[in-house]
Amino acid sequence: MANPAGQSAARVGIIAAMDRELDALLADFDAARIELVISRAFHCGVLHGREAVAVVAGIGKTAVATTTTLLVQHFGVQSVVLIGAAGRVSEELSIGDVVVATHLVHHDLDASPLFPRYHVPTLGTARLAADESVSSLAYSAAQRFIAAEPGNTSKVVKGLVLSGDQFMDATQIRDLRRRFPDALAVEMEGAAVAQVCLESGTPYAVVRSISDDGNADTFERFLQSECGRYARGIISKLMAATA
Ligand code: SAH
């Protein structure tokens, strides 16, 4: 729905963990102003015709949990999209493929024997469900982005994403595959965004491009050369579809 200024009333929050994931996308903002809150720069403005607030949260679950809370409570966003890189868990995937989360699990949360392993007590479950409507818009946006890239044959898939406060190497990823046979990818923020969004009733999606299979050099290469372009391309298609 458009407001009198012709902009969409539903302001969207866009989060990435690192500058390299968000830098390219920030160039597309119109009329952006920056508000600093707890040392984070929140870019508020219009992105492809839609009101948006974009922010680099920092790496890890605490950094994104506080940032997501601010987006919802202070900036009044009505939906949240987390975008960035992730390690490959499913052997069906390759670097450059895009994963849209249907569910997220904190793979490092364990209050057993008080609760089952991975269980989030405030939500009464381990598998945190992403919002179907925002996620399906993100899925189609990612498909349109890949299809528009000459020579890019990457896949876009939906499924389980794991989050924890560690960069996972190849050995740790093998262990994750054993513990979560249906997991697609691992990263360090998604489940925390999921938890804040579910607790606050905010629709959200988590979109990750596969950057590595546990190797830090491969990750750095993807981060330098591809990650920002993926985020910019996918978010621009998503904003244009919902403006
Ligand atoms: N070298 C970076 C640290 C990156 S941590 C720096 O110094 O700033 C990895 C980031 O990419 C996290 O935000 C995480 O969400 C994602 N990620 C990519 N590959 C990952 C992997 N194999 N394990 C965990 N997180 C991964």
Side-chain angles (χ1 to χ4, degrees):
M1 194 171 50
N3 64 20
Q7 290 151 18
S8 166
R11 177 182 294 174
V12 59
I14 299 162
I15 311 184
M18 294 170 286
D19 289 324
R20 285 307 287 238
E21 294 169 320
L22 210 70
D23 275 352
L25 176 163
L26 291 177
D28 294 338
F29 261 93
D30 291 325
R33 76 188 158 77
I34 294 176
E35 197 173 319
L36 275 181
V37 189
I38 59 162
S39 325
R40 287 157 178 70
F42 291 81
H43 300 254
C44 310
V46 178
L47 192 57
H48 306 286
R50 193 167 166 197
E51 252 198 86
V53 183
V55 58
V56 174
I59 293 166
K61 295 196 289 181
T62 308
V64 291
T66 49
T67 307
T68 306
T69 306
L70 285 169
L71 279 174
V72 172
Q73 290 293 320
H74 182 78
F75 292 93
V77 304
Q78 276 110 30
S79 61
V80 167
V81 179
L82 170 67
I83 191 141
R88 170 180 95 111
V89 177
S90 164
E91 288 173 309
E92 308 285 301
L93 297 180
S94 309
I95 289 171
D97 288 346
V98 179
V99 174
V100 179
T102 54
H103 292 83
L104 296 110
V105 169
H106 293 277
H107 69 72
D108 57 356
L109 177 61
D110 188 356
S112 60
L114 304 174
F115 293 100
R117 197 173 181 190
Y118 317 121
H119 184 94
V120 179
T122 47
L123 293 169
T125 181
R127 293 201 168 218
L128 312 182
D131 180 75
E132 282 182 24
S133 119
V134 183
S135 303
S136 101
L137 288 167
Y139 180 81
S140 338
Q143 281 186 317
R144 286 198 304 282
F145 162 68
I146 298 288
E149 288 229 295
N152 191 340
T153 55
S154 301
K155 298 188 282 295
V156 182
V157 292
K158 299 179 209 181
L160 177 63
V161 172
L162 306 173
S163 311
D165 277 321
Q166 304 84 28
F167 182 85
M168 304 299 272
D169 66 18
T171 308
Q172 292 168 309
I173 288 177
R174 264 197 298 281
D175 178 55
L176 287 179
R177 216 173 271 143
R178 185 185 55 76
R179 287 195 272 145
F180 302 95
D182 61 333
L184 298 180
V186 61
E187 36 83 306
M188 301 178 63
E189 295 86 17
V193 170
Q195 189 168 334
V196 172
C197 286
L198 288 170
E199 289 175 0
S200 62
T202 310
Y204 75 97
V206 173
V207 184
R208 294 294 194 176
S209 33
I210 299 294
S211 54
D212 60 270
D213 47 13
N215 181 299
D217 294 336
T218 315
F219 162 76
E220 286 294 343
R221 263 200 304 281
F222 189 86
L223 186 67
Q224 299 305 326
S225 60
E226 315 283 337
C227 221
R229 191 181 82 252
Y230 266 63
R232 181 186 201 175
I234 294 169
I235 294 292
S236 75
K237 304 270 185 229
L238 178 63
M239 294 294 113
T242 53

